[in-house]
């Protein structure tokens, strides 16, 4: 992924996300999960999220984290790249994966989002 390709992707993600958007966790092996998080802030180079109220946590996830996961995203989606490899690319991989998957499904032609 070139710098320009990532910049276009990042801008699309930031434009599509809304404050308060609820994003479900997702994995290639388990699909959508019950747990979710909420988008709290969108900036030029990071997104801040918050976890459920019963165990509140906040994370600030840089654009760099997304780019690192996107490098192996296709391989992860088709089972050629392990989750361990994705986890090594970002300490926020759980949330990055959820948002990348959300972005894919939110922009797919069959999506009703």
């Amino acid at each position: 992924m070139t710098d320009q390709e990532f910049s276009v992707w990042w801008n699309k993600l930031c434009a599509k996300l809304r404050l308060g958007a609820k994003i479900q966790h997702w994995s290639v092996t388990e699909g959508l999960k019950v747990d979710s998080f909420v988008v709290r802030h969108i900036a030029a180079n990071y997104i801040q999220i918050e976890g459920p109220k019963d165990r509140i946590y906040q994370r600030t996830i840089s654009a760099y984290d997304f780019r690192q996961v996107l490098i192996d995203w296709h391989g992860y989606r088709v089972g050629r790249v392990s989750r361990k490899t994705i986890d090594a690319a970002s300490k926020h991989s759980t949330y990055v994966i959820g948002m990348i998957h959300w972005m894919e499904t939110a922009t797919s032609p069959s999506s009703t989002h």
Side-chain angles (χ1 to χ4, degrees):
M1 176 174 272
T2 67
D3 289 346
Q4 183 176 0
E5 290 169 333
F6 177 73
S7 180
V8 167
W9 185 91
W10 177 255
N11 289 333
K12 284 181 183 177
L13 174 65
C14 290
K16 191 90 174 157
L17 276 176
R18 297 287 178 250
L19 297 181
K22 184 177 175 181
I23 310 289
Q24 283 184 271
H25 292 291
W26 180 87
S27 76
V28 75
T29 56
E30 299 175 43
L32 284 175
K33 299 180 180 185
V34 175
D35 290 341
S36 63
F37 55 92
V38 176
V39 176
R40 289 293 178 217
H41 185 76
I42 303 165
N45 60 353
Y46 69 88
I47 295 170
Q48 192 171 61
I49 61 96
E50 183 177 276
K53 298 296 181 201
D54 61 339
R55 58 183 197 282
I56 295 177
Y57 58 84
Q58 289 188 342
R59 301 272 177 118
T60 299
I61 306 166
S62 72
Y64 179 81
D65 282 283
F66 285 86
R67 180 149 190 194
Q68 292 305 106
V69 172
L70 283 167
I71 289 169
D72 288 319
W73 182 249
H74 177 72
Y76 174 68
R77 293 277 283 149
V78 299
R80 283 196 320 261
V81 172
S82 71
R83 175 61 188 259
K84 186 175 182 178
T85 299
I86 296 296
D87 290 347
S90 167
K91 66 180 179 178
H92 304 292
S93 62
T94 296
Y95 311 100
V96 172
I97 287 169
M99 283 188 268
I100 294 172
H101 179 262
W102 176 86
M103 180 69 172
E104 286 182 344
T105 58
T107 57
S108 71
S110 62
S111 176
T112 57
H113 295 258

